[in-house]
Amino acid sequence: MLSTLRSTLRSSNISFGRVLTGAAAIIMSASLVTPMIAQQQESERATRELSESTGIHHDQLGVYDTLWRDRLEGVAQQSLAKAEATVQANAAKADASAAKTAIAGLDDYKKLDDSKLRKSIDTTDAATAALAAAGAAADQRAAAAAAAAAAAAAAAQAAANTPDGAKATARSIAASTYGWGDDQFQCLSSLWSKESGWNYQASNGSSGAAGIPQSLPGSKMATFGADWATNATTQIKWGLDYIKRGYGTPCSAWGHSQSVNWY
C-alpha cells in the first residue's frame, strides 16, 4: 500500500517527505490544541458561573470584566471590615482565632485570582458569623448571670427588710462599727421597737418621721444612701450614727426616750 501511495504521489508531483512533514505538523498541532481546548472549556464554565451569579448576559461579560473584579474586591473590603469589627467586639468574649486567620488570608485580596478570592471571602464571612454567634451566646450567659445575681440581691434585700432581718443587720453593724455588744443591742431593740416596730416602711402621719429609726424628716437618711426609703440597712446605718452623735450609746438614747417619749 505504501508503494502505491509513493506511485500516486510521484504522478501528482507530491513529495512523500512533504506528506510525512505535514502529518507530523498535524500531530504537533493536536498536542498544542488539546490543552488550549481544555483551557477554553474551563474559561467557558467559569463564565457561565459568573453569568449566573451576577445576572449579566453571557455575551456582555467581556465588557464587564473590570467592573466584576472591582465589585468582587469591594465585597472583599466589606468582608474584611465586618470581620475586623466583629473581632474587636467579641475577642474578649469568645475564641477569635479562626476569624483572625481568615482576615489574614483575605488581607492581600488584590493578589488573589477570582476563584481564590471568592473562596477567601466565603471563609471570612463564615468565620465572622461564627464569632458573632459565639459572642452573642456569651452575652446571653452574662445577662443570665447578671439577672441571677440581681435576683439573689433582691431576695437578700427583701429578707434584710423584714423586722428579724433588720435586727440581725443592726446587731452586726452595732458590734463591728461601734463596738456595742448585746447589752447595748437590747436597748436598741427596745428603742426601735417602740419607734417603728422595726418596720422600714413606718411613717408618722403627724410628725413626718420615717423608717426604722424614725428620722425627721426621712430624707435625712439620704446621707447614707439614695435608697433610704426602700432599704432597711441604709436606715439602720443612719440611725446608729444618729444615736452615736446624739447620745453616745443606744442605752443612753433608750433612757432619754423613756424619760421624754422621744429621742
Side-chain angles (χ1 to χ4, degrees), residues 8-25:
T8 302
L9 292 174
R10 287 194 193 97
S11 63
S12 302
N13 294 318
I14 299 175
S15 169
F16 184 69
R18 289 172 62 190
V19 172
L20 291 180
T21 300

Side-chain angles (χ1 to χ4, degrees), residues 11-237:
S11 63
S12 302
N13 294 318
I14 299 175
S15 169
F16 184 69
R18 289 172 62 190
V19 172
L20 291 180
T21 300
I26 292 172
I27 293 172
M28 291 178 66
S29 296
S31 67
L32 294 173
V33 169
T34 298
M36 291 175 63
I37 293 174
Q39 184 177 0
Q40 178 64 25
Q41 289 173 341
E42 173 61 21
S43 176
E44 290 176 354
R45 182 194 62 76
T47 299
R48 284 196 305 273
E49 291 182 357
L50 183 57
S51 178
E52 292 170 359
S53 66
T54 62
I56 299 174
H57 192 273
H58 182 284
D59 295 338
Q60 298 174 316
L61 285 175
V63 178
Y64 291 105
D65 278 348
T66 301
L67 294 177
W68 162 251
R69 180 65 191 192
D70 289 345
R71 176 181 174 184
L72 191 58
E73 290 186 0
V75 172
Q77 291 171 353
Q78 292 173 2
S79 294
L80 274 174
K82 184 175 181 180
E84 290 167 351
T86 302
V87 167
Q88 184 175 4
N90 296 282
K93 299 181 288 186
D95 182 4
S97 57
K100 290 179 179 179
T101 299
I103 289 171
L106 185 58
D107 196 42
D108 289 334
Y109 62 87
K110 289 185 178 293
K111 299 179 181 180
L112 301 176
D113 61 37
D114 288 359
S115 177
K116 290 182 179 179
L117 181 52
R118 287 195 295 268
K119 290 180 181 178
S120 187
I121 289 171
D122 290 343
T123 298
T124 302
D125 288 347
T128 298
L131 178 58
D139 287 340
Q140 290 177 350
R141 291 192 297 271
Q157 185 60 62
N161 279 353
T162 64
D164 286 343
K167 287 180 181 180
T169 299
R171 183 192 294 271
S172 175
I173 296 175
S176 62
T177 303
Y178 300 99
W180 295 333
D182 286 345
D183 56 335
Q184 292 295 327
F185 179 73
Q186 291 301 319
C187 293
L188 180 67
S189 179
S190 298
L191 175 65
W192 285 350
S193 291
K194 174 186 175 184
E195 292 291 328
S196 63
W198 289 86
N199 179 4
Y200 78 99
Q201 294 176 313
S203 178
N204 188 315
S206 59
S207 67
I212 292 172
Q214 286 292 281
S215 168
L216 181 62
S219 58
K220 284 184 177 180
M221 293 184 287
T223 56
F224 277 78
D227 60 349
W228 63 268
T230 59
N231 193 332
T233 300
T234 300
Q235 296 179 2
I236 288 166
K237 289 178 178 179

